[in-house]
Structures are given as C-alpha cells and as structure tokens.
Amino acid sequence: MTDAVRPVIAGNWKMNGLKASMVEFEAMLRGAPEVLYKTDLLVCPPLTLLATFAAKAANFGQEGSRVVTVGAQDCHPGVSGAHTGDVSAEMLADAGATAVIVGHSERRADHGESDAVVRQKAQAAWRAGLTAIACIGETQALRDAGRTLDICGAQLEGSLPDGATSANLIVAYEPVWAIGTGLTPTAGDVEQVHRFIRDRLIERFKGEGVGIRILYGGSVKPSNARELMAVPNVNGALVGGASLKAADFLAIAAGCP
C-alpha cells in the first residue's frame, strides 16, 4: 500500500448476476462495516442490476455512514444519440453509479477498443461526474517478450486524458494472462509494475499522481489478497469471479493492511 492513500476493493461482476444475486449484495452490505474502516468497497454489477443495487445501497444503514458504492462496467463516449444498445455515462450516473470501468482487457479484445476509445470513455465518465477506473495490462506473449513495461506505459499514455486527479481516476493493472486463469505474478513482479505506473502518474500529473489509486487485478482471491495488498503502491484490487460471493469479496477486503 501507499501511505495516506485509502484503498478500494472493486468487484467486476462481468456478465454474471440475476435478480437473485441481491442476496449476495445484501450480504456484502451487512458485512461491509467490518472492513469499511480501512478500505472502500465498490461493486460493478451488470447493467440490469445497477439501479437496483444502487438504490439498495443508498437506503442501507444510517444516514451519512459509509456504504458499498456501485459502479458500471462500461460506457459510451457520447451523451446521447442513435447508438442502439449503448449507455452513456450520464445514464449510469442517473441510475446511481459512482464509477465506471473503462478499457478492461475483455473490452479491448472482444470489442477492439483502442487506447483512444478508452480515453474518450474516461473523459465521458468525468463529464458525468463519475470516477473512471482505467484498465491496463499485457498479454502472455508480450510478457514473454519482455515488453510488460513498454505496453503498460503506452496504454497509460494513450488511455488517460489530461486532467486526472486522485478523485476522478483509478488505474487498474490487470495482466491479461492472469485474469481468470488462477495464475498471478510474483509480489516482486507486481511491485515493479506498480512502481512504474506510480512514477508515470507522478511524471504526468505531478502531485495528483501521488494519490491516484492503483489497483491490482488478475485472479485475486482470499488466499492471495493479503500478500498482494501488502505490496508497495498496490492501493486495492479489481476483483473478478471472487467478487460474486460476499464471503470471498469481504475476505479480500479484510486482507488490506
């Protein structure tokens, strides 16, 4: 962790979850007080559940108390228009989202999203008052070729708009080869990449770069969370499959120092 940077554990539910999943989300809300004293919790469900989850979170607990916040998994760069099937950042904010993931490797691969498109989506998130969670990371082939830092540097440069602050941006490093595979880099590998990201953020955004949270993602689970969260410049995690179960999600959060 980086001193004075409050960590966040963000759950990316991807294309998972039905109405019955409210049971797990409610369990997260009930268990959140045990971990919210040291970390923020964010859940990004599928769009069909976003408004329902946001309303449940807003009405849970005492007024003014910390709760689990709700985010989205993607947005369109535009405000509105003839874009069948797309959703704008303004619509997400209207539904109760506080953040949106942009540039996830699955969007880059499955939908051909370039760094330029990711940058536009991050700008859209800011326009709507949302925090952009910008994802970067290398494939196995690029890792094997020793190009991890080159790729991460290029994605940072191309995907992040000017004007980033610790309030409007979170960066998530997700080595593509580790997502959903059960594989994870060594703590030393993670430290190297996160240190590189921090240096680049400070170089570009000066003092704001010190406080921008950098999350690790890629097969994060309760059994490895404590080790990963102890790595310098790891300010939390972007969690995939393990975020679908309240017990696992909260256990990962409990691993924050």
Side-chain angles (χ1 to χ4, degrees):
M1 295 287 181
T2 299
D3 291 343
V5 178
R6 182 174 171 82
V8 58
I9 304 299
N12 177 13
W13 281 30
K14 305 189 181 183
M15 198 171 71
N16 298 290
L18 301 172
K19 290 179 181 179
S21 302
M22 179 61 77
V23 172
E24 292 295 333
F25 186 64
E26 290 176 337
M28 293 175 187
L29 291 172
R30 290 193 300 271
E34 297 298 321
V35 295
L36 282 174
Y37 70 93
K38 60 179 178 178
T39 184
D40 292 331
L41 295 178
L42 170 71
V43 173
C44 299
L47 187 60
T48 52
L49 297 176
L50 193 155
T52 304
F53 277 24
K56 175 64 70 172
N59 294 320
F60 189 88
Q62 297 180 345
E63 184 176 354
S65 64
R66 285 187 178 273
V67 297
V68 180
T69 53
V70 177
Q73 299 175 21
D74 185 44
C75 68
H76 188 278
V79 177
S80 60
H83 304 289
T84 301
D86 284 316
V87 177
S88 70
E90 283 78 6
M91 292 173 176
L92 298 176
D94 188 56
T98 62
V100 58
I101 299 169
V102 297
H104 191 279
S105 62
E106 291 159 2
R107 296 291 309 180
R108 292 177 185 262
D110 296 348
H111 299 273
E113 293 187 0
S114 65
D115 290 339
V117 169
V118 177
R119 179 190 286 245
Q120 292 172 355
K121 291 186 174 187
Q123 290 173 320
W126 296 354
R127 185 186 66 222
L130 302 178
T131 298
I133 304 175
C135 300
I136 64 170
E138 82 284 7
T139 64
Q140 183 70 62
L142 291 168
R143 171 183 165 84
D144 292 343
R147 298 192 58 205
T148 294
L149 299 186
D150 291 340
I151 294 302
C152 288
Q155 290 180 337
L156 284 171
E157 179 64 27
S159 301
L160 304 186
D162 293 332
T165 70
S166 58
N168 67 20
L169 178 69
I170 295 172
V171 174
Y173 168 58
E174 291 197 306
V176 179
W177 53 271
I179 299 174
T181 65
L183 302 173
T184 55
T186 66
D189 290 337
V190 174
E191 181 174 0
Q192 178 192 32
V193 178
H194 278 243
R195 175 72 259 178
F196 172 82
I197 295 171
R198 177 68 66 202
D199 289 344
R200 285 296 180 93
L201 292 175
I202 293 173
E203 179 182 353
R204 182 172 174 190
F205 303 116
K206 310 308 179 191
E208 286 294 337
V210 176
I212 292 173
R213 291 181 282 192
I214 308 171
L215 311 186
Y216 172 75
S219 294
V220 179
K221 45 190 178 290
S223 60
N224 63 18
R226 190 171 298 277
E227 178 184 13
L228 290 167
M229 296 305 102
V231 173
N233 291 299
V234 172
N235 312 121
L238 182 57
V239 186
S243 68
L244 295 171
K245 295 294 184 182
D248 290 342
F249 188 58
L250 294 171
I252 290 170
C256 291

